[in-house]
Amino acid sequence: NKDVKKHVNTIKAQVAVYKVNNDFKQAGELLKGLADNTKTLEDIWEYAFFIDNQNNLSEALKYYQTYIDKMGKDLVLDDKTRRRQKARAHNNIGRIYWLMYKYEEAEAAYNMSLNCNRGIDGIFADSMRYAYTLANIAILLKDKYEYDKAESYYIQSHNLYKNLSNVPMKDRLYYEALLANNIGNLYRIIKRIDDSERMFKAAVDLYNRLEQFTKDYIYERARTERNLAD
């Protein structure tokens, strides 16, 4: 077991070097080898997430599903961890289906993510992930021209983000601002101009507050200011 662990660590070190040198083909081949041979949740997830970011969507979909199936047989994970990780995988599957324009499959996967995340006691395994998935459903519904439903999901997500006491203020402000801008865009589409202006102003204010933590979102603030000007 020690020899196997040492070998796996050596391969992961090689992967890190390939990534630094932008040799993603070699990195992906090594990660796939680890996923297929070790069959651990960690290695399956790492390959699925990597290949997802390389836009190989069908391959990522396959390995996310493998991850979910494998987790169902894992007796070590506690219930909260299992629900959190399954919710994350289903959310990513939903996003892939959305990118493929398979909207029904995407919505089903997103709803599976919500169901995994929220326990029978109503307590979330990961509140931020739950809010994130609500926003993804809103985007999907907007693309399906179901604007009333999209608004409802956006508002649920926005309200949840505002009350995430266990999330760093910087992250909370960013997602609040992003959602406020998206809601503003939705209102602009359905010609609720006053509401659209109100949400864009709220987003700009949130981006201004965010500047005390980081200057990384100047572009996003400028985009929202353009939306407001339009």
Side-chain angles (χ1 to χ4, degrees), residues 119-207:
I120 57 175
D121 54 5
I123 297 176
F124 303 124
D126 184 339
S127 299
M128 189 168 181
R129 175 65 57 184
Y130 195 88
Y132 183 74
T133 302
L134 287 171
N136 283 343
I137 294 175
I139 293 168
L140 169 67
L141 292 169
K142 180 175 72 68
D143 288 347
K144 292 173 65 178
Y145 308 107
E146 297 181 26
Y147 297 132
D148 288 344
K149 289 183 180 179
E151 179 190 11
S152 174
Y153 278 92
Y154 268 139
I155 296 300
Q156 289 180 65
S157 179
H158 194 242
N159 289 340
L160 186 52
Y161 270 121
K162 286 193 294 186
N163 292 293
L164 290 178
S165 57
N166 60 333
V167 174
M169 179 63 74
K170 180 183 75 170
D171 295 337
R172 200 168 76 200
L173 286 172
Y174 169 68
Y175 283 109
E176 278 189 66
L178 184 66
L179 279 166
N181 179 76
N182 287 354
I183 295 169
N185 279 325
L186 176 65
Y187 287 151
R188 181 165 58 181
I189 290 171
I190 60 179
K191 308 301 182 184
R192 287 170 54 178
I193 303 305
D194 289 343
D195 288 331
S196 178
E197 182 178 0
R198 172 174 57 82
M199 295 308 299
F200 285 142
K201 285 181 176 178
V204 170
D205 179 62
L206 288 162
Y207 280 124

Side-chain angles (χ1 to χ4, degrees), residues 17-222:
V17 172
Y18 282 134
K19 286 181 178 179
V20 168
N21 292 319
N22 295 322
D23 191 344
F24 298 117
K25 183 176 184 296
Q26 291 291 339
E29 289 176 358
L30 288 178
L31 288 172
K32 186 178 190 302
L34 284 176
D36 291 343
N37 287 290
T38 69
K39 294 181 171 58
T40 64
L41 287 171
E42 177 185 352
D43 290 336
I44 294 169
W45 175 266
E46 188 171 358
Y47 177 61
F49 191 72
F50 172 85
I51 208 69
D52 185 357
N53 286 322
Q54 297 302 306
N55 292 317
N56 188 338
L57 301 182
S58 58
E59 180 83 346
L61 197 61
K62 173 185 172 183
Y63 277 83
Y64 281 136
Q65 190 59 57
T66 299
Y67 178 82
I68 292 169
D69 294 343
K70 169 77 174 175
M71 190 179 302
K73 301 171 185 176
D74 193 306
L75 302 179
V76 176
L77 294 175
D78 62 89
D79 180 64
K80 186 175 181 180
T81 300
R82 188 189 308 276
R83 289 193 292 112
R84 181 175 64 247
Q85 293 182 352
K86 286 183 72 174
R88 179 176 60 167
H90 281 297
N91 176 80
N92 288 5
I93 288 173
R95 181 182 49 77
I96 288 174
Y97 279 134
W98 171 70
L99 289 170
M100 291 176 166
Y101 301 101
K102 295 183 177 181
Y103 291 153
E104 300 308 316
E105 291 91 337
E107 190 168 358
Y110 283 146
N111 281 319
M112 183 68 73
S113 177
L114 296 182
N115 291 337
C116 289
N117 203 324
R118 190 176 191 125
I120 57 175
D121 54 5
I123 297 176
F124 303 124
D126 184 339
S127 299
M128 189 168 181
R129 175 65 57 184
Y130 195 88
Y132 183 74
T133 302
L134 287 171
N136 283 343
I137 294 175
I139 293 168
L140 169 67
L141 292 169
K142 180 175 72 68
D143 288 347
K144 292 173 65 178
Y145 308 107
E146 297 181 26
Y147 297 132
D148 288 344
K149 289 183 180 179
E151 179 190 11
S152 174
Y153 278 92
Y154 268 139
I155 296 300
Q156 289 180 65
S157 179
H158 194 242
N159 289 340
L160 186 52
Y161 270 121
K162 286 193 294 186
N163 292 293
L164 290 178
S165 57
N166 60 333
V167 174
M169 179 63 74
K170 180 183 75 170
D171 295 337
R172 200 168 76 200
L173 286 172
Y174 169 68
Y175 283 109
E176 278 189 66
L178 184 66
L179 279 166
N181 179 76
N182 287 354
I183 295 169
N185 279 325
L186 176 65
Y187 287 151
R188 181 165 58 181
I189 290 171
I190 60 179
K191 308 301 182 184
R192 287 170 54 178
I193 303 305
D194 289 343
D195 288 331
S196 178
E197 182 178 0
R198 172 174 57 82
M199 295 308 299
F200 285 142
K201 285 181 176 178
V204 170
D205 179 62
L206 288 162
Y207 280 124
N208 287 337
R209 291 169 58 193
L210 188 58
E211 281 197 7
Q212 65 182 296
F213 299 100
T214 177
K215 304 292 184 182
D216 291 344
Y217 302 112
I218 293 175
Y219 168 78
E220 284 85 350
R221 186 186 68 181

